[in-house]
Amino acid sequence: MELDCLVEIFMKLSLDDLTLAVPFVCKSWLAAAGHPLCWKKLDFRRLDVLPWSNFSKNFTLQYHLPYFTFTYFLKFTTNRSCKSVTDLRFPLKFTSMEDLVLASNECPKLKYLALPVMSESEQIQIPQLVWKWKDLERLEMASKPLNFAELVKNISLTCRNFSWLMVSGPIREEDALAIVRYLPKLKKLELKNSYLPKEELLMILNGCRELQKLNLNDCIGFNGDDEDINAKASHIKEFRKERCKLYYEYDYESELGLYDYVM
């Protein structure tokens, strides 16, 4: 089979197959698997990158390494991409600031970035890394960083095609203002599992009039059947607000029953 055809097929494979299966079949498959187009999408969330996982053990054996580290594996994949990565999804845990800096230098064409869970000291550095990702269109964060306003400001100044933000956490007045002020042309916004008071939500709905998707599932701070909110969001094609509540409802009776059972 022609190299171009093999590359087209291998582009659809997972990182597991690209690293542990395909390269060891024959020389032509090895050559095709090394093509940068096969490494444009790096979805590490589909892999178990714990040092003691089966994947990590097999990778260590196949490439004759003394031990497995995610940093090494990130370098391994980005080297093969030749700076062509457009989709990068970090594992939620077991990453370092070194990995994020490496991604900012080796993945300048990123369009979709899913960040890991970060410490406060790491969160502070993210806005500076955004300057490297001028093509960024979509950003996912497991939790809202402390310097959220600075981050969205830098996105607005750097990423002209940015249209999709996903973040969870307490959305305060200053956060809602930052979204409206710096990202008024957002097309998709996901704030699942956040604390989002009605006033802040209405502020976002008033300021981001081009929203096509708004996912607020499992938020606390407003009722899902609120008439004011539903009226303001009537133009949004996909508006999700399942299990939204004004207050967190603590199930005391269930907790008490569990306590009696344990005792």
PDB file of all heavy atoms in Angstrom, residues 87-124:
ATOM      1  N   ASP A  87      -4.286  19.245  18.318  1.00  0.00           N
ATOM      2  CA  ASP A  87      -5.209  18.766  19.357  1.00  0.00           C
ATOM      3  C   ASP A  87      -4.379  18.105  20.447  1.00  0.00           C
ATOM      4  O   ASP A  87      -3.760  17.061  20.218  1.00  0.00           O
ATOM      5  CB  ASP A  87      -6.188  17.777  18.727  1.00  0.00           C
ATOM      6  CG  ASP A  87      -7.257  17.283  19.699  1.00  0.00           C
ATOM      7  OD1 ASP A  87      -7.019  17.295  20.922  1.00  0.00           O
ATOM      8  OD2 ASP A  87      -8.337  16.871  19.225  1.00  0.00           O
ATOM      9  N   LEU A  88      -4.365  18.707  21.643  1.00  0.00           N
ATOM     10  CA  LEU A  88      -3.554  18.192  22.755  1.00  0.00           C
ATOM     11  C   LEU A  88      -4.404  18.098  24.006  1.00  0.00           C
ATOM     12  O   LEU A  88      -4.909  19.109  24.501  1.00  0.00           O
ATOM     13  CB  LEU A  88      -2.345  19.101  23.007  1.00  0.00           C
ATOM     14  CG  LEU A  88      -1.464  18.783  24.215  1.00  0.00           C
ATOM     15  CD1 LEU A  88      -0.910  17.363  24.127  1.00  0.00           C
ATOM     16  CD2 LEU A  88      -0.336  19.799  24.337  1.00  0.00           C
ATOM     17  N   ARG A  89      -4.557  16.874  24.501  1.00  0.00           N
ATOM     18  CA  ARG A  89      -5.346  16.642  25.709  1.00  0.00           C
ATOM     19  C   ARG A  89      -4.473  15.946  26.747  1.00  0.00           C
ATOM     20  O   ARG A  89      -4.175  14.765  26.642  1.00  0.00           O
ATOM     21  CB  ARG A  89      -6.584  15.797  25.387  1.00  0.00           C
ATOM     22  CG  ARG A  89      -7.393  16.367  24.226  1.00  0.00           C
ATOM     23  CD  ARG A  89      -8.578  15.514  23.861  1.00  0.00           C
ATOM     24  NE  ARG A  89      -9.014  15.801  22.504  1.00  0.00           N
ATOM     25  CZ  ARG A  89     -10.102  15.299  21.931  1.00  0.00           C
ATOM     26  NH1 ARG A  89     -10.884  14.482  22.622  1.00  0.00           N
ATOM     27  NH2 ARG A  89     -10.406  15.602  20.680  1.00  0.00           N
ATOM     28  N   PHE A  90      -4.067  16.724  27.736  1.00  0.00           N
ATOM     29  CA  PHE A  90      -3.226  16.197  28.801  1.00  0.00           C
ATOM     30  C   PHE A  90      -4.020  15.236  29.688  1.00  0.00           C
ATOM     31  O   PHE A  90      -5.225  15.402  29.857  1.00  0.00           O
ATOM     32  CB  PHE A  90      -2.706  17.332  29.683  1.00  0.00           C
ATOM     33  CG  PHE A  90      -1.533  18.083  29.123  1.00  0.00           C
ATOM     34  CD1 PHE A  90      -1.716  19.290  28.475  1.00  0.00           C
ATOM     35  CD2 PHE A  90      -0.251  17.579  29.257  1.00  0.00           C
ATOM     36  CE1 PHE A  90      -0.643  19.994  27.964  1.00  0.00           C
ATOM     37  CE2 PHE A  90       0.837  18.272  28.751  1.00  0.00           C
ATOM     38  CZ  PHE A  90       0.643  19.481  28.098  1.00  0.00           C
ATOM     39  N   PRO A  91      -3.344  14.248  30.281  1.00  0.00           N
ATOM     40  CA  PRO A  91      -4.011  13.469  31.328  1.00  0.00           C
ATOM     41  C   PRO A  91      -4.337  14.398  32.493  1.00  0.00           C
ATOM     42  O   PRO A  91      -3.646  15.405  32.702  1.00  0.00           O
ATOM     43  CB  PRO A  91      -2.963  12.420  31.713  1.00  0.00           C
ATOM     44  CG  PRO A  91      -1.655  13.007  31.284  1.00  0.00           C
ATOM     45  CD  PRO A  91      -1.946  13.842  30.071  1.00  0.00           C
ATOM     46  N   LEU A  92      -5.365  14.089  33.237  1.00  0.00           N
ATOM     47  CA  LEU A  92      -5.786  14.993  34.308  1.00  0.00           C
ATOM     48  C   LEU A  92      -4.720  15.114  35.400  1.00  0.00           C
ATOM     49  O   LEU A  92      -4.586  16.169  36.021  1.00  0.00           O
ATOM     50  CB  LEU A  92      -7.104  14.502  34.921  1.00  0.00           C
ATOM     51  CG  LEU A  92      -8.344  14.720  34.058  1.00  0.00           C
ATOM     52  CD1 LEU A  92      -9.562  14.054  34.692  1.00  0.00           C
ATOM     53  CD2 LEU A  92      -8.608  16.212  33.852  1.00  0.00           C
ATOM     54  N   LYS A  93      -3.957  14.045  35.613  1.00  0.00           N
ATOM     55  CA  LYS A  93      -2.948  14.057  36.674  1.00  0.00           C
ATOM     56  C   LYS A  93      -1.601  13.570  36.133  1.00  0.00           C
ATOM     57  O   LYS A  93      -1.485  13.177  34.989  1.00  0.00           O
ATOM     58  CB  LYS A  93      -3.391  13.177  37.842  1.00  0.00           C
ATOM     59  CG  LYS A  93      -4.676  13.657  38.514  1.00  0.00           C
ATOM     60  CD  LYS A  93      -5.052  12.758  39.673  1.00  0.00           C
ATOM     61  CE  LYS A  93      -6.333  13.233  40.358  1.00  0.00           C
ATOM     62  NZ  LYS A  93      -6.691  12.353  41.492  1.00  0.00           N
ATOM     63  N   PHE A  94      -0.603  13.651  37.006  1.00  0.00           N
ATOM     64  CA  PHE A  94       0.750  13.159  36.714  1.00  0.00           C
ATOM     65  C   PHE A  94       1.428  13.939  35.589  1.00  0.00           C
ATOM     66  O   PHE A  94       2.115  13.372  34.744  1.00  0.00           O
ATOM     67  CB  PHE A  94       0.718  11.657  36.409  1.00  0.00           C
ATOM     68  CG  PHE A  94       0.124  10.838  37.505  1.00  0.00           C
ATOM     69  CD1 PHE A  94      -1.167  10.345  37.388  1.00  0.00           C
ATOM     70  CD2 PHE A  94       0.826  10.597  38.665  1.00  0.00           C
ATOM     71  CE1 PHE A  94      -1.743   9.609  38.422  1.00  0.00           C
ATOM     72  CE2 PHE A  94       0.262   9.870  39.701  1.00  0.00           C
ATOM     73  CZ  PHE A  94      -1.027   9.368  39.576  1.00  0.00           C
ATOM     74  N   THR A  95       1.204  15.249  35.572  1.00  0.00           N
ATOM     75  CA  THR A  95       1.928  16.130  34.662  1.00  0.00           C
ATOM     76  C   THR A  95       2.656  17.180  35.500  1.00  0.00           C
ATOM     77  O   THR A  95       2.395  17.334  36.693  1.00  0.00           O
ATOM     78  CB  THR A  95       0.974  16.828  33.679  1.00  0.00           C
ATOM     79  OG1 THR A  95       0.008  17.575  34.415  1.00  0.00           O
ATOM     80  CG2 THR A  95       0.263  15.807  32.795  1.00  0.00           C
ATOM     81  N   SER A  96       3.523  17.918  34.836  1.00  0.00           N
ATOM     82  CA  SER A  96       4.297  18.938  35.537  1.00  0.00           C
ATOM     83  C   SER A  96       4.312  20.223  34.732  1.00  0.00           C
ATOM     84  O   SER A  96       3.904  20.254  33.567  1.00  0.00           O
ATOM     85  CB  SER A  96       5.736  18.454  35.764  1.00  0.00           C
ATOM     86  OG  SER A  96       6.392  18.309  34.510  1.00  0.00           O
ATOM     87  N   MET A  97       4.806  21.285  35.343  1.00  0.00           N
ATOM     88  CA  MET A  97       4.948  22.558  34.626  1.00  0.00           C
ATOM     89  C   MET A  97       5.917  22.400  33.467  1.00  0.00           C
ATOM     90  O   MET A  97       5.763  23.047  32.420  1.00  0.00           O
ATOM     91  CB  MET A  97       5.439  23.643  35.593  1.00  0.00           C
ATOM     92  CG  MET A  97       5.207  25.048  35.076  1.00  0.00           C
ATOM     93  SD  MET A  97       3.445  25.379  34.876  1.00  0.00           S
ATOM     94  CE  MET A  97       3.465  26.338  33.385  1.00  0.00           C
ATOM     95  N   GLU A  98       6.885  21.537  33.619  1.00  0.00           N
ATOM     96  CA  GLU A  98       7.826  21.257  32.536  1.00  0.00           C
ATOM     97  C   GLU A  98       7.085  20.751  31.293  1.00  0.00           C
ATOM     98  O   GLU A  98       7.417  21.123  30.160  1.00  0.00           O
ATOM     99  CB  GLU A  98       8.854  20.212  32.984  1.00  0.00           C
ATOM    100  CG  GLU A  98       9.855  19.825  31.908  1.00  0.00           C
ATOM    101  CD  GLU A  98      10.766  18.685  32.336  1.00  0.00           C
ATOM    102  OE1 GLU A  98      10.732  18.300  33.523  1.00  0.00           O
ATOM    103  OE2 GLU A  98      11.518  18.171  31.471  1.00  0.00           O
ATOM    104  N   ASP A  99       6.059  19.929  31.509  1.00  0.00           N
ATOM    105  CA  ASP A  99       5.281  19.392  30.391  1.00  0.00           C
ATOM    106  C   ASP A  99       4.500  20.501  29.683  1.00  0.00           C
ATOM    107  O   ASP A  99       4.419  20.527  28.447  1.00  0.00           O
ATOM    108  CB  ASP A  99       4.306  18.324  30.894  1.00  0.00           C
ATOM    109  CG  ASP A  99       5.007  17.165  31.564  1.00  0.00           C
ATOM    110  OD1 ASP A  99       6.139  16.850  31.150  1.00  0.00           O
ATOM    111  OD2 ASP A  99       4.423  16.593  32.505  1.00  0.00           O
ATOM    112  N   LEU A 100       3.941  21.426  30.444  1.00  0.00           N
ATOM    113  CA  LEU A 100       3.165  22.522  29.855  1.00  0.00           C
ATOM    114  C   LEU A 100       4.066  23.469  29.064  1.00  0.00           C
ATOM    115  O   LEU A 100       3.690  23.942  27.984  1.00  0.00           O
ATOM    116  CB  LEU A 100       2.424  23.281  30.953  1.00  0.00           C
ATOM    117  CG  LEU A 100       1.392  22.470  31.743  1.00  0.00           C
ATOM    118  CD1 LEU A 100       0.808  23.316  32.871  1.00  0.00           C
ATOM    119  CD2 LEU A 100       0.280  21.971  30.845  1.00  0.00           C
ATOM    120  N   VAL A 101       5.239  23.750  29.596  1.00  0.00           N
ATOM    121  CA  VAL A 101       6.192  24.611  28.890  1.00  0.00           C
ATOM    122  C   VAL A 101       6.658  23.929  27.612  1.00  0.00           C
ATOM    123  O   VAL A 101       6.776  24.567  26.550  1.00  0.00           O
ATOM    124  CB  VAL A 101       7.395  24.948  29.793  1.00  0.00           C
ATOM    125  CG1 VAL A 101       8.466  25.692  29.010  1.00  0.00           C
ATOM    126  CG2 VAL A 101       6.935  25.796  30.988  1.00  0.00           C
ATOM    127  N   LEU A 102       6.910  22.638  27.698  1.00  0.00           N
ATOM    128  CA  LEU A 102       7.301  21.882  26.508  1.00  0.00           C
ATOM    129  C   LEU A 102       6.221  21.984  25.430  1.00  0.00           C
ATOM    130  O   LEU A 102       6.514  22.208  24.253  1.00  0.00           O
ATOM    131  CB  LEU A 102       7.536  20.420  26.880  1.00  0.00           C
ATOM    132  CG  LEU A 102       7.805  19.461  25.715  1.00  0.00           C
ATOM    133  CD1 LEU A 102       9.133  19.795  25.049  1.00  0.00           C
ATOM    134  CD2 LEU A 102       7.803  18.017  26.193  1.00  0.00           C
ATOM    135  N   ALA A 103       4.959  21.842  25.837  1.00  0.00           N
ATOM    136  CA  ALA A 103       3.851  21.923  24.884  1.00  0.00           C
ATOM    137  C   ALA A 103       3.760  23.308  24.256  1.00  0.00           C
ATOM    138  O   ALA A 103       3.458  23.441  23.067  1.00  0.00           O
ATOM    139  CB  ALA A 103       2.547  21.574  25.584  1.00  0.00           C
ATOM    140  N   SER A 104       4.033  24.340  25.032  1.00  0.00           N
ATOM    141  CA  SER A 104       3.962  25.696  24.483  1.00  0.00           C
ATOM    142  C   SER A 104       5.034  25.933  23.427  1.00  0.00           C
ATOM    143  O   SER A 104       4.824  26.699  22.481  1.00  0.00           O
ATOM    144  CB  SER A 104       4.093  26.730  25.607  1.00  0.00           C
ATOM    145  OG  SER A 104       5.410  26.757  26.140  1.00  0.00           O
ATOM    146  N   ASN A 105       6.174  25.254  23.582  1.00  0.00           N
ATOM    147  CA  ASN A 105       7.270  25.428  22.627  1.00  0.00           C
ATOM    148  C   ASN A 105       7.154  24.504  21.417  1.00  0.00           C
ATOM    149  O   ASN A 105       7.516  24.891  20.299  1.00  0.00           O
ATOM    150  CB  ASN A 105       8.612  25.187  23.321  1.00  0.00           C
ATOM    151  CG  ASN A 105       8.933  26.252  24.347  1.00  0.00           C
ATOM    152  OD1 ASN A 105       8.620  27.423  24.162  1.00  0.00           O
ATOM    153  ND2 ASN A 105       9.559  25.851  25.447  1.00  0.00           N
ATOM    154  N   GLU A 106       6.660  23.295  21.641  1.00  0.00           N
ATOM    155  CA  GLU A 106       6.645  22.278  20.586  1.00  0.00           C
ATOM    156  C   GLU A 106       5.303  22.155  19.866  1.00  0.00           C
ATOM    157  O   GLU A 106       5.203  21.448  18.868  1.00  0.00           O
ATOM    158  CB  GLU A 106       7.030  20.914  21.172  1.00  0.00           C
ATOM    159  CG  GLU A 106       8.427  20.856  21.755  1.00  0.00           C
ATOM    160  CD  GLU A 106       9.493  21.164  20.711  1.00  0.00           C
ATOM    161  OE1 GLU A 106       9.332  20.730  19.556  1.00  0.00           O
ATOM    162  OE2 GLU A 106      10.487  21.840  21.057  1.00  0.00           O
ATOM    163  N   CYS A 107       4.278  22.831  20.374  1.00  0.00           N
ATOM    164  CA  CYS A 107       2.948  22.727  19.758  1.00  0.00           C
ATOM    165  C   CYS A 107       2.389  24.119  19.457  1.00  0.00           C
ATOM    166  O   CYS A 107       1.353  24.525  20.002  1.00  0.00           O
ATOM    167  CB  CYS A 107       1.989  21.967  20.669  1.00  0.00           C
ATOM    168  SG  CYS A 107       2.596  20.355  21.218  1.00  0.00           S
ATOM    169  N   PRO A 108       3.034  24.880  18.581  1.00  0.00           N
ATOM    170  CA  PRO A 108       2.596  26.251  18.321  1.00  0.00           C
ATOM    171  C   PRO A 108       1.311  26.356  17.507  1.00  0.00           C
ATOM    172  O   PRO A 108       0.716  27.434  17.439  1.00  0.00           O
ATOM    173  CB  PRO A 108       3.777  26.836  17.529  1.00  0.00           C
ATOM    174  CG  PRO A 108       4.382  25.664  16.837  1.00  0.00           C
ATOM    175  CD  PRO A 108       4.237  24.520  17.796  1.00  0.00           C
ATOM    176  N   LYS A 109       0.859  25.251  16.902  1.00  0.00           N
ATOM    177  CA  LYS A 109      -0.329  25.286  16.049  1.00  0.00           C
ATOM    178  C   LYS A 109      -1.582  24.762  16.741  1.00  0.00           C
ATOM    179  O   LYS A 109      -2.583  24.467  16.084  1.00  0.00           O
ATOM    180  CB  LYS A 109      -0.073  24.476  14.774  1.00  0.00           C
ATOM    181  CG  LYS A 109       1.039  25.028  13.903  1.00  0.00           C
ATOM    182  CD  LYS A 109       1.220  24.194  12.646  1.00  0.00           C
ATOM    183  CE  LYS A 109       2.326  24.759  11.764  1.00  0.00           C
ATOM    184  NZ  LYS A 109       2.517  23.948  10.529  1.00  0.00           N
ATOM    185  N   LEU A 110      -1.546  24.689  18.053  1.00  0.00           N
ATOM    186  CA  LEU A 110      -2.669  24.119  18.806  1.00  0.00           C
ATOM    187  C   LEU A 110      -3.976  24.853  18.521  1.00  0.00           C
ATOM    188  O   LEU A 110      -4.037  26.084  18.532  1.00  0.00           O
ATOM    189  CB  LEU A 110      -2.396  24.191  20.305  1.00  0.00           C
ATOM    190  CG  LEU A 110      -1.635  23.042  20.965  1.00  0.00           C
ATOM    191  CD1 LEU A 110      -1.635  23.217  22.465  1.00  0.00           C
ATOM    192  CD2 LEU A 110      -2.218  21.700  20.578  1.00  0.00           C
ATOM    193  N   LYS A 111      -5.040  24.059  18.324  1.00  0.00           N
ATOM    194  CA  LYS A 111      -6.388  24.598  18.206  1.00  0.00           C
ATOM    195  C   LYS A 111      -7.270  24.150  19.373  1.00  0.00           C
ATOM    196  O   LYS A 111      -8.186  24.859  19.765  1.00  0.00           O
ATOM    197  CB  LYS A 111      -7.014  24.157  16.885  1.00  0.00           C
ATOM    198  CG  LYS A 111      -6.349  24.753  15.655  1.00  0.00           C
ATOM    199  CD  LYS A 111      -7.077  24.351  14.385  1.00  0.00           C
ATOM    200  CE  LYS A 111      -6.441  25.011  13.168  1.00  0.00           C
ATOM    201  NZ  LYS A 111      -7.158  24.645  11.917  1.00  0.00           N
ATOM    202  N   TYR A 112      -6.968  22.967  19.883  1.00  0.00           N
ATOM    203  CA  TYR A 112      -7.763  22.394  20.979  1.00  0.00           C
ATOM    204  C   TYR A 112      -6.802  21.960  22.078  1.00  0.00           C
ATOM    205  O   TYR A 112      -5.910  21.150  21.852  1.00  0.00           O
ATOM    206  CB  TYR A 112      -8.575  21.222  20.441  1.00  0.00           C
ATOM    207  CG  TYR A 112      -9.388  20.435  21.450  1.00  0.00           C
ATOM    208  CD1 TYR A 112      -9.594  20.878  22.749  1.00  0.00           C
ATOM    209  CD2 TYR A 112      -9.970  19.223  21.084  1.00  0.00           C
ATOM    210  CE1 TYR A 112     -10.341  20.151  23.651  1.00  0.00           C
ATOM    211  CE2 TYR A 112     -10.732  18.480  21.978  1.00  0.00           C
ATOM    212  CZ  TYR A 112     -10.902  18.942  23.261  1.00  0.00           C
ATOM    213  OH  TYR A 112     -11.640  18.215  24.164  1.00  0.00           O
ATOM    214  N   LEU A 113      -6.994  22.515  23.274  1.00  0.00           N
ATOM    215  CA  LEU A 113      -6.127  22.202  24.412  1.00  0.00           C
ATOM    216  C   LEU A 113      -6.973  21.855  25.629  1.00  0.00           C
ATOM    217  O   LEU A 113      -7.841  22.625  26.033  1.00  0.00           O
ATOM    218  CB  LEU A 113      -5.228  23.398  24.741  1.00  0.00           C
ATOM    219  CG  LEU A 113      -4.371  23.287  26.009  1.00  0.00           C
ATOM    220  CD1 LEU A 113      -3.366  22.145  25.885  1.00  0.00           C
ATOM    221  CD2 LEU A 113      -3.645  24.604  26.287  1.00  0.00           C
ATOM    222  N   ALA A 114      -6.726  20.672  26.196  1.00  0.00           N
ATOM    223  CA  ALA A 114      -7.358  20.257  27.446  1.00  0.00           C
ATOM    224  C   ALA A 114      -6.264  20.164  28.505  1.00  0.00           C
ATOM    225  O   ALA A 114      -5.355  19.339  28.399  1.00  0.00           O
ATOM    226  CB  ALA A 114      -8.058  18.917  27.279  1.00  0.00           C
ATOM    227  N   LEU A 115      -6.339  21.028  29.492  1.00  0.00           N
ATOM    228  CA  LEU A 115      -5.290  21.130  30.513  1.00  0.00           C
ATOM    229  C   LEU A 115      -5.505  20.132  31.643  1.00  0.00           C
ATOM    230  O   LEU A 115      -6.634  19.721  31.915  1.00  0.00           O
ATOM    231  CB  LEU A 115      -5.258  22.548  31.080  1.00  0.00           C
ATOM    232  CG  LEU A 115      -4.730  23.639  30.144  1.00  0.00           C
ATOM    233  CD1 LEU A 115      -4.975  25.015  30.740  1.00  0.00           C
ATOM    234  CD2 LEU A 115      -3.242  23.433  29.868  1.00  0.00           C
ATOM    235  N   PRO A 116      -4.439  19.774  32.340  1.00  0.00           N
ATOM    236  CA  PRO A 116      -4.558  18.879  33.493  1.00  0.00           C
ATOM    237  C   PRO A 116      -4.989  19.658  34.740  1.00  0.00           C
ATOM    238  O   PRO A 116      -5.097  20.888  34.719  1.00  0.00           O
ATOM    239  CB  PRO A 116      -3.136  18.342  33.654  1.00  0.00           C
ATOM    240  CG  PRO A 116      -2.277  19.497  33.205  1.00  0.00           C
ATOM    241  CD  PRO A 116      -3.038  20.137  32.071  1.00  0.00           C
ATOM    242  N   VAL A 117      -5.216  18.930  35.825  1.00  0.00           N
ATOM    243  CA  VAL A 117      -5.416  19.564  37.120  1.00  0.00           C
ATOM    244  C   VAL A 117      -4.083  20.175  37.538  1.00  0.00           C
ATOM    245  O   VAL A 117      -3.043  19.507  37.481  1.00  0.00           O
ATOM    246  CB  VAL A 117      -5.882  18.530  38.162  1.00  0.00           C
ATOM    247  CG1 VAL A 117      -5.968  19.175  39.543  1.00  0.00           C
ATOM    248  CG2 VAL A 117      -7.231  17.950  37.752  1.00  0.00           C
ATOM    249  N   MET A 118      -4.109  21.443  37.956  1.00  0.00           N
ATOM    250  CA  MET A 118      -2.868  22.152  38.250  1.00  0.00           C
ATOM    251  C   MET A 118      -2.866  22.722  39.659  1.00  0.00           C
ATOM    252  O   MET A 118      -3.916  23.040  40.217  1.00  0.00           O
ATOM    253  CB  MET A 118      -2.671  23.291  37.242  1.00  0.00           C
ATOM    254  CG  MET A 118      -2.518  22.841  35.810  1.00  0.00           C
ATOM    255  SD  MET A 118      -2.514  24.245  34.663  1.00  0.00           S
ATOM    256  CE  MET A 118      -4.239  24.744  34.754  1.00  0.00           C
ATOM    257  N   SER A 119      -1.673  22.876  40.204  1.00  0.00           N
ATOM    258  CA  SER A 119      -1.521  23.537  41.496  1.00  0.00           C
ATOM    259  C   SER A 119      -1.657  25.042  41.298  1.00  0.00           C
ATOM    260  O   SER A 119      -1.643  25.544  40.173  1.00  0.00           O
ATOM    261  CB  SER A 119      -0.152  23.216  42.095  1.00  0.00           C
ATOM    262  OG  SER A 119       0.882  23.777  41.287  1.00  0.00           O
ATOM    263  N   GLU A 120      -1.785  25.775  42.386  1.00  0.00           N
ATOM    264  CA  GLU A 120      -1.930  27.232  42.293  1.00  0.00           C
ATOM    265  C   GLU A 120      -0.700  27.865  41.642  1.00  0.00           C
ATOM    266  O   GLU A 120      -0.823  28.804  40.852  1.00  0.00           O
ATOM    267  CB  GLU A 120      -2.162  27.819  43.688  1.00  0.00           C
ATOM    268  CG  GLU A 120      -3.514  27.438  44.294  1.00  0.00           C
ATOM    269  CD  GLU A 120      -3.750  28.099  45.638  1.00  0.00           C
ATOM    270  OE1 GLU A 120      -2.864  28.865  46.083  1.00  0.00           O
ATOM    271  OE2 GLU A 120      -4.809  27.863  46.241  1.00  0.00           O
ATOM    272  N   SER A 121       0.484  27.362  41.958  1.00  0.00           N
ATOM    273  CA  SER A 121       1.705  27.930  41.377  1.00  0.00           C
ATOM    274  C   SER A 121       1.769  27.683  39.870  1.00  0.00           C
ATOM    275  O   SER A 121       2.308  28.506  39.124  1.00  0.00           O
ATOM    276  CB  SER A 121       2.938  27.334  42.058  1.00  0.00           C
ATOM    277  OG  SER A 121       2.985  25.927  41.887  1.00  0.00           O
ATOM    278  N   GLU A 122       1.203  26.572  39.418  1.00  0.00           N
ATOM    279  CA  GLU A 122       1.175  26.278  37.985  1.00  0.00           C
ATOM    280  C   GLU A 122       0.119  27.105  37.270  1.00  0.00           C
ATOM    281  O   GLU A 122       0.333  27.577  36.151  1.00  0.00           O
ATOM    282  CB  GLU A 122       0.916  24.785  37.770  1.00  0.00           C
ATOM    283  CG  GLU A 122       2.069  23.902  38.219  1.00  0.00           C
ATOM    284  CD  GLU A 122       1.715  22.432  38.221  1.00  0.00           C
ATOM    285  OE1 GLU A 122       0.509  22.113  38.328  1.00  0.00           O
ATOM    286  OE2 GLU A 122       2.631  21.594  38.132  1.00  0.00           O
ATOM    287  N   GLN A 123      -1.031  27.290  37.912  1.00  0.00           N
ATOM    288  CA  GLN A 123      -2.113  28.082  37.318  1.00  0.00           C
ATOM    289  C   GLN A 123      -1.654  29.494  36.972  1.00  0.00           C
ATOM    290  O   GLN A 123      -2.024  30.042  35.921  1.00  0.00           O
ATOM    291  CB  GLN A 123      -3.295  28.154  38.280  1.00  0.00           C
ATOM    292  CG  GLN A 123      -4.024  26.846  38.500  1.00  0.00           C
ATOM    293  CD  GLN A 123      -5.113  26.971  39.559  1.00  0.00           C
ATOM    294  OE1 GLN A 123      -5.449  28.068  40.011  1.00  0.00           O
ATOM    295  NE2 GLN A 123      -5.669  25.842  39.961  1.00  0.00           N
ATOM    296  N   ILE A 124      -0.840  30.061  37.822  1.00  0.00           N
ATOM    297  CA  ILE A 124      -0.384  31.441  37.631  1.00  0.00           C
ATOM    298  C   ILE A 124       0.392  31.598  36.327  1.00  0.00           C
ATOM    299  O   ILE A 124       0.380  32.670  35.708  1.00  0.00           O
ATOM    300  CB  ILE A 124       0.480  31.872  38.840  1.00  0.00           C
ATOM    301  CG1 ILE A 124      -0.383  31.947  40.102  1.00  0.00           C
ATOM    302  CG2 ILE A 124       1.152  33.207  38.579  1.00  0.00           C
ATOM    303  CD1 ILE A 124       0.395  32.220  41.376  1.00  0.00           C
TER     304      ILE A 124
END
